[in-house]
Amino acid sequence: QKDQDRCFESDFLYIGDGFDNTVKTFDAETGWFLGSFVASGNNGLNGPRGLIFDHEGNLLVTNQKVNEGSGNVLKYNGQTGEFLGEIVKSDATGAPFAPRGIVLSKHNILFVADLVIEENGQHGEVRMYKYNGNTATFIRNLAHPPSGEFFPRSVVIGPDGYLYVSIRNNPNTVEGQLGGSVVRYNSKTGAFGGVFIS
């Protein structure tokens, strides 16, 4: 059965479920539920958000750690779901507060979209890490676009090699309740590449 013989020749859909703090697996062709690939709360999983597979086939999960402080990034075996470690530690330099989207470039740069909550309100960062398979060393935050508001949600690397970041408008202002934009960055250097969709 597919859920007992996971392999990369088969196509599966993985979804982080914040209701019961699991990562669930579905057959990508039929939509059939195949079970929880990562069990509820496995090694502190509390608010799974972005999911990607690294270049070795392991699953990386941005973990928001809801109501616990700063979030982190966890790694699980891509075949078994076994916990392999905390690759971005919640107490490390550059740890995300409320991580969302995640993507890994071919240059082994890990990008994490993060919502930061401070005393004077909310803003966001896209954090850049060098990923070596076991740890992700913080490099820097990417420059904010010139609009002044930055609430990043999802990140993806396009076929042109650019990092694309979807940004929602400030939900705390009446004029900003709807809409957003997409900006892009050089995925190798982190240099701002302009607004792609305004």
Side-chain angles (χ1 to χ4, degrees):
Q1 294 180 354
K2 281 189 177 181
D3 56 337
Q4 295 176 341
D5 186 26
R6 299 176 193 275
C7 61
F8 289 103
E9 287 73 26
S10 300
D11 202 3
F12 300 100
L13 178 65
Y14 297 81
I15 297 177
D17 189 343
F19 177 73
D20 61 0
N21 296 310
T22 61
V23 175
K24 293 181 168 62
T25 314
F26 299 82
D27 186 297
E29 294 181 4
T30 65
W32 291 342
F33 176 57
L34 300 176
S36 292
F37 183 65
V38 177
S40 180
N42 185 320
N43 284 275
L45 189 62
N46 180 18
R49 298 296 188 257
L51 308 174
I52 59 167
F53 285 89
D54 67 13
H55 302 315
E56 302 300 320
N58 294 309
L59 178 68
L60 306 183
V61 181
T62 56
N63 181 32
Q64 190 167 325
K65 295 182 67 176
V66 177
N67 298 321
E68 293 184 39
S70 294
N72 56 10
V73 180
L74 306 177
K75 181 167 72 169
Y76 298 89
N77 183 293
Q79 296 291 307
T80 66
E82 175 191 0
F83 181 67
L84 298 179
E86 182 184 16
I87 64 164
V88 176
K89 299 181 182 299
S90 57
D91 60 354
T93 300
F97 180 80
R100 303 292 178 134
I102 184 174
V103 70
L104 181 65
S105 79
K106 66 180 181 180
H107 306 292
N108 237 25
I109 303 295
L110 189 69
F111 297 94
V112 176
D114 182 27
L115 177 65
V116 182
I117 301 177
E118 296 178 339
E119 291 182 4
N120 59 350
Q122 299 179 350
H123 64 90
E125 303 287 356
V126 174
R127 303 189 187 276
M128 186 177 184
Y129 303 87
K130 181 65 177 178
Y131 177 59
N132 71 4
N134 297 312
T135 63
T137 305
F138 178 66
I139 301 174
R140 62 186 173 90
N141 295 330
L142 299 185
H144 288 197
S147 65
E149 291 189 343
F150 194 52
F151 297 88
R153 303 288 290 199
S154 297
V155 288
V156 67
I157 306 252
D160 56 2
Y162 274 90
L163 171 73
Y164 289 82
V165 182
S166 66
I167 303 169
R168 69 168 182 171
N169 287 345
N170 188 342
N172 298 320
T173 60
V174 174
E175 65 274 14
Q177 287 181 352
L178 299 175
S181 59
V182 177
V183 298
R184 63 182 182 175
Y185 296 85
N186 183 306
S187 63
K188 188 173 183 179
T189 66
F192 182 61
V195 177
F196 185 66
I197 299 174
S198 62

